[in-house]
Structure formats: structure tokens, C-alpha cells
């Protein structure tokens, strides 16, 4: 497998773009990332003509893989050709908002924006404006986009910016706690309860994982926020319209947040974000309320058309059945491969998400373990060993994953996420053949 073209492109890119890329994770592959040339269903062809089974799928938005269904294509083309955007409201925004409000339990109203980052920035501002409080509780190692309030590390007693460029004084308003740790979040509410505007959490850790919530964890967050008049914000930028189908992860888990942030699939492959929730809260955005929020491209007609048709197509076809059943096959196949070859590793994921976490230790006897991805079942023999939070995932064999395992998979034509931490995604265009090929590749590479 040759990468001469990608190397030359990366060489040029390094001279004109920092790190040669427009989003950091794309450069994680060393010594240089393959450049994408085009997609083909569930496959990707790089600049040198190499073909891969693609489990990255744009890092989440591509529910259909690279070939969008005909109605999505048609809607995109007609909206693009009518004139791309107006700075005026359009019918397609109303239709998309109606669709989301009809399907997602927490959503009565929605504001569309242009990225997941913008969605979480606006949600945090909304929570602060609505409650008149400053502090935000987040999960250690969680990711909510490239924004000041959440690029924070450390713990609730000692939060600090996780990047240069953020004043220490900003990070004082963010309280990081470990995911799945009920005691930690109780403590933080005991100490700061009256100052907490919101808890911001992914329903499952999909950017540092995959880590499922333990039974009762979200109920605890729901009760604590309600008791303290704080908001519960679910960041469903990844899980939205992927986990739990059209009702999203909140429907699957049966916990209704006050506010939900969306991105990725809700724009059908085009730049998007959104903030949804109860009208009484969402109406605090300007112009109906006093929390300023605006955007030149927000509710962009081409994005709205792509997003709405994507969701409509999923409502009318066996999309979620297909991707979830392939997910089940992949995760159960991986569970067998891992049991044979690397019993200390943990197979994770649900619905159309999957990952093998390179955990360092596991039980001697695997009898009765979770069969198709870790469920945090206390009676699973792996329960004491499987990652419960971001730090546990951070302690995995990330160097082996990156330096040895990933390149071996790539050489076999299987393209996995650029690092140990991001989810891998299954699309409607993937087939059982892709699953078989991938399982064989894992057998070689593990
Ligand atoms: C991708 C992601 C974001 C950021 O979305 P962008 O569109 O990249 O700005 C926020 N939250 C979660 C959970 C994400 O996965």
C-alpha cells in the first residue's frame, strides 16, 4: 500500500495550514494522514487509490455512509440551486424543527446553529442566563467541542484550562467530575449547588470511550439538577439520531434532560449544530428572551434539507435496524476475537457505535461477560476492570493502539478512528461482508 500522493499533499499542507489540517485529530495518524479522495458507500478511497472499509464516517455525521439516499441528494441539490441562503427564515427550517420536536422527548423548541461547538457554547450561555448562575459541571475527559467553558481539566477543587489561550479565571466556573461517579457529583452539588447552572454530559462517553452509563447514573444527575434548580444538558452531538434511533439516547435511557445539544447527523453531512429543549427554557434565547444568540449561516437551507431528508429517510426505512444489527454482529464477533487473543481488552459500544478498548487487565474467567459490548453490568466478570470514566480510558494501551495496531488495520484496508478515544461508526451502506473483513483484520492485528 503506497501513500506517495498523500505524503506530497501533506507536505504542501504543512506549509499553509497549522499541522497540515483544519481539525487537530485528522493529523493524529503518523507520519502523515492519508488524504481522502472520495467515498463509495461504506468505503473510502484515498488520494493514492487505496480502498478502505471506513468506520470513521466523517467522525459521526454520515448515517448512510458516503452515498446519500436519492431523496437527500435531490433535496440538497434543489436547495443549493435555488440560491444557497438568504438571511431570512425559510420553510425548510420550520419543517426540520417540527420533525425533531415530534421525535425527541426533551425537545419542544429548537435553535439551529452551525456546529456542535456552537451548540454547546450557546447551551452553556442559555443555562447561565436562565438560572442566573455561573458554574457548569462537566465530565473529566469528556468533549463538548472547542469551547472555553469545557476545555477544562483537573477536578472540581482545582479546575484549569486544558489548552493555552483560556484564562484561568474562566475555568474557575467549570467543575469537572468523573463520569459514573455518583458520590463525586453529590459532593459537588453539596458544595456548589446554589451556583450550578447546569450539568453538561454526553449520555454515554463517545469521545473518550466508549463508556456506557452505569444503571441509575443519569437518574442521579436528573434528580440532583432538579433538586437544585440546575439544568441537565445532554450533549447528543454524537448520540443524537444514532443511539436510540429517532428518539436519541435520552429515549433509549428513559431520562429526559432540560436541554439537548445536537450536531453531526442532524445536518445530514453538512455543518450543523442545534440546541433543543422545553419552550420555557429555549425561549430565553433572543429575540424572544434575553440570552443573545445569532448566526449568519444558522438554519442554512442546504443543511436543513440534508438533515431533514436524512431523518425522514430513517423514519421510513429499516436504517436503524440495519446499522444496529451490524453493530451487534461486529461487537459480538469482536468479543470472541478478543477473548481468544487479548482477553484483557474491552469491547465497547451500543447501537451503531463500536470500539475495542486496550485495557491493561481483565478477569481470568470470562464466563457470562457482556456479549456485544460493555453494559456496565455489576454481575459481569469484567465489571471490576472495564472503564467507567474518561481517566480509565486514558489509561489504556494507547501507544500500542496507535503505533502498532492502527497501521496493521490500515494495511488490511480497514480504516479505524484516528486515535484510541473516538467512537467508530456503522452506516446504512455497510454490509455483513465489511463486518467479516473487519473481524478478520482484528484477528490479524490484535
Ligand atoms: C463532535 C462533538 C462536538 C463538537 O461538534 P463540532 O461540530 O465538531 O463543533 C461536541 N460535542 C460532542 C459530544 C461531539 O462529539
Amino acid at each position: 500500500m503506497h501513500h506517495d500522493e498523500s505524503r506530497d499533499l501533506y507536505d504542501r499542507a504543512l506549509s499553509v495550514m497549522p499541522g497540515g489540517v483544519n481539525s487537530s485529530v485528522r493529523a493524529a495518524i503518523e507520519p502523515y494522514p492519508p488524504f481522502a479522495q472520495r467515498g463509495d458507500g461504506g468505503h473510502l478511497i484515498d488520494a493514492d487509490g487505496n480502498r478502505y472499509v471506513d468506520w470513521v464516517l466523517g467522525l459521526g455525521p454520515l448515517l448512510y455512509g458516503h452515498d446519500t439516499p436519492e431523496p437527500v441528494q435531490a433535496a440538497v441539490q434543489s436547495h443549493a440551486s435555488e440560491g444557497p441562503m438568504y438571511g431570512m427564515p425559510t420553510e425548510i427550517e420550520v419543517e426540520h424543527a417540527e420533525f425533531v420536536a415530534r421525535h425527541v422527548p426533551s425537545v419542544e423548541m429548537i435553535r439551529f446553529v452551525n456546529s456542535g461547538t456552537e451548540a454547546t457554547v450557546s447551551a452553556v450561555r442559555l443555562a447561565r442566563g436562565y438560572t442566573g448562575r455561573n458554574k457548569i459541571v462537566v465530565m473529566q475527559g469528556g468533549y463538548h467541542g472547542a469551547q472555553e467553558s469545557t476545555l477544562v481539566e483537573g477536578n472540581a477543587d482545582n479546575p484549569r484550562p486544558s489548552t493555552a489561550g483560556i484564562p484561568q479565571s474562566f475555568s474557575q466556573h467549570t467543575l469537572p467530575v468523573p463520569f459514573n461517579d455518583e458520590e463525586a457529583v453529590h459532593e459537588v452539588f453539596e458544595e456548589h449547588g446554589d451556583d450550578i447552572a447546569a450539568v453538561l454530559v454526553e449520555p454515554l462517553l463517545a469521545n473518550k470511550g466508549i463508556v456506557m452509563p452505569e444503571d441509575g447514573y443519569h437518574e442521579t444527575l436528573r434528580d440532583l439538577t432538579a433538586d437544585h434548580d440546575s439544568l441537565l444538558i445532554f450533549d447528543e452531538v454524537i448520540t443524537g439520531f444514532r443511539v436510540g434511533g429517532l428518539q436519541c439516547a435520552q429515549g433509549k435511557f428513559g431520562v429526559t434532560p432540560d436541554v439537548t445539544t445536537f450536531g453531526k447527523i442532524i445536518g445530514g453531512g453538512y455543518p450543523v449544530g442545534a440546541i433543543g429543549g422545553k419552550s420555557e427554557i429555549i425561549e430565553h434565547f433572543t429575540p424572544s428572551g434575553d440570552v443573545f444568540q445569532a448566526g449568519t449561516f444558522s438554519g442554512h437551507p442546504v443543511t436543513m434539507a440534508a438533515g431533514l431528508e436524512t431523518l425522514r429517510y430513517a423514519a421510513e426505512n429499516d436504517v436503524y435496524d440495519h446499522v444496529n444489527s451490524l453493530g451487534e454482529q461486529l461487537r459480538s464477533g469482536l468479543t470472541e476475537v478478543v477473548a481468544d487473543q487479548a482477553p484483557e481488552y474491552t469491547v465497547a459500544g451500543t447501537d451503531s457505535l463500536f470500539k475495542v478498548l486496550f485495557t491493561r487487565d481483565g478477569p481470568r474467567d470470562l464466563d457470562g461477560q457482556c456479549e456485544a459490548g460493555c453494559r456496565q453490568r455489576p454481575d459481569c466478570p469484567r465489571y471490576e476492570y472495564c472503564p467507567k470514566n474518561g481517566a480509565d480510558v486514558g489509561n489504556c494501551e494507547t501507544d500500542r493502539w496507535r503505533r502498532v495496531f492502527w497501521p496493521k488495520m490500515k494495511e488490511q484496508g480497514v480504516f479505524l478512528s484516528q486515535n484510541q478515544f473516538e467512537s467508530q461508526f456503522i452506516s446504512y451502506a455497510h454490509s455483513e461482508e465489511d463486518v467479516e473483513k473487519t473481524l478478520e483484520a482484528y484477528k490479524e492485528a490484535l
Side-chain angles (χ1 to χ4, degrees), residues 5 29 34 43 57 70 79 83 144 166 173 186 208 232 252 254 265 318 343 349 351 354 359 370 376 379 418 426:
E5 201 62 42
I29 296 160
H43 295 184
L57 292 177
E70 200 280 325
H79 281 273
H144 303 286
I166 297 179
H173 298 302
H186 271 288
K208 196 80 177 262
L232 178 61
K252 182 180 175 98
I265 288 178
D318 63 340
D351 297 61
F354 76 100
T359 33
C370 296
Q376 306 290 358
D379 61 344
Q418 288 100 330
I426 296 153

Side-chain angles (χ1 to χ4, degrees), residues 29-350:
I29 296 160
E30 293 182 66
Y32 48 84
F35 275 55
Q37 186 176 73
R38 66 187 173 88
D40 178 18
H43 295 184
L44 175 78
I45 291 104
D46 75 10
D48 291 272
N50 303 305
R51 176 182 279 266
Y52 311 92
V53 183
D54 180 16
W55 303 114
V56 175
L57 292 177
L59 292 154
L62 306 180
L63 184 57
Y64 302 110
H66 298 283
D67 298 337
T68 41
E70 200 280 325
V72 181
Q73 268 309 334
V76 166
Q77 273 163 18
S78 93
H79 281 273
S81 69
E82 283 162 8
M85 50 84 74
Y86 307 95
M88 293 164 66
T90 56
E91 181 177 2
I92 190 83
E93 297 163 74
V94 185
E95 286 184 21
H96 198 344
E98 286 170 346
F99 187 99
V100 177
R102 206 158 51 239
H103 286 92
V104 184
S106 70
V107 177
E108 293 172 2
M109 277 193 176
I110 192 163
R111 168 67 51 90
F112 286 106
V113 295
N114 306 289
S115 70
T117 296
E118 211 184 317
T120 65
V121 167
S122 302
V124 166
R125 188 184 309 135
L126 179 69
R128 287 174 169 155
Y130 177 77
T131 59
R133 301 169 178 179
N134 287 334
K135 293 198 186 301
I136 304 289
V137 177
V138 299
M139 303 299 142
Q140 289 165 357
Y143 183 68
H144 303 286
Q147 70 131 316
E148 267 66 359
S149 294
T150 60
L151 289 172
V152 173
E153 59 189 20
N155 55 44
D157 295 328
N158 181 25
R160 47 182 193 276
S162 63
T163 167
I166 297 179
Q168 174 69 32
S169 56
F170 286 20
S171 64
Q172 293 308 324
H173 298 302
T174 303
L175 305 168
V177 297
F179 188 60
N180 273 332
D181 187 335
E182 297 198 7
E183 210 177 298
V185 75
H186 271 288
E187 272 171 26
V188 119
F189 267 94
E190 254 162 51
E191 189 157 341
H192 303 283
D194 295 343
D195 298 328
I196 294 174
V199 173
L200 172 59
V201 60
E202 276 191 282
L204 50 91
L205 293 190
N207 285 284
K208 196 80 177 262
I210 302 163
V211 181
M212 293 289 276
E214 288 202 74
D215 235 13
Y217 184 65
H218 286 314
E219 286 80 359
T220 297
L221 297 182
R222 183 60 284 181
D223 291 347
L224 273 172
T225 46
D227 289 349
H228 291 84
D229 297 320
S230 309
L231 300 185
L232 178 61
I233 307 174
F234 270 7
D235 184 352
E236 295 229 40
V237 170
I238 281 190
T239 54
F241 306 105
R242 185 169 284 284
V243 174
L246 294 175
Q247 54 176 352
C248 306
Q250 54 197 261
K252 182 180 175 98
F253 293 150
V255 175
T256 307
D258 300 298
V259 172
T260 304
T261 53
F262 300 95
K264 301 195 169 120
I265 288 178
I266 204 175
Y270 293 83
V272 80
I275 312 96
K278 294 192 190 90
S279 312
E280 187 249 324
I281 298 170
I282 301 296
E283 279 192 321
H284 279 255
F285 277 138
T286 51
S288 46
D290 58 0
V291 177
F292 187 75
Q293 208 290 319
T296 301
F297 291 109
S298 294
H300 195 287
V302 177
T303 301
M304 294 295 99
L308 175 60
E309 291 303 328
T310 288
L311 299 185
R312 275 189 181 149
Y313 192 87
E316 289 159 12
N317 295 277
D318 63 340
V319 175
Y320 292 114
D321 287 345
H322 179 84
V323 294
N324 294 349
S325 127
L326 288 186
E328 202 72 8
Q329 288 174 41
L330 250 174
R331 289 186 303 269
S332 58
L334 286 170
T335 303
E336 284 171 27
V337 174
V338 162
D340 269 356
Q341 294 182 231
E344 67 278 20
Y345 290 177
T346 307
V347 177
T350 181

Side-chain angles (χ1 to χ4, degrees), residues 208 360 389-398 421:
K208 196 80 177 262
R360 291 171 191 270
N389 56 47
D392 291 347
V393 177
N395 287 334
C396 289
E397 292 187 322
T398 52
F421 306 126

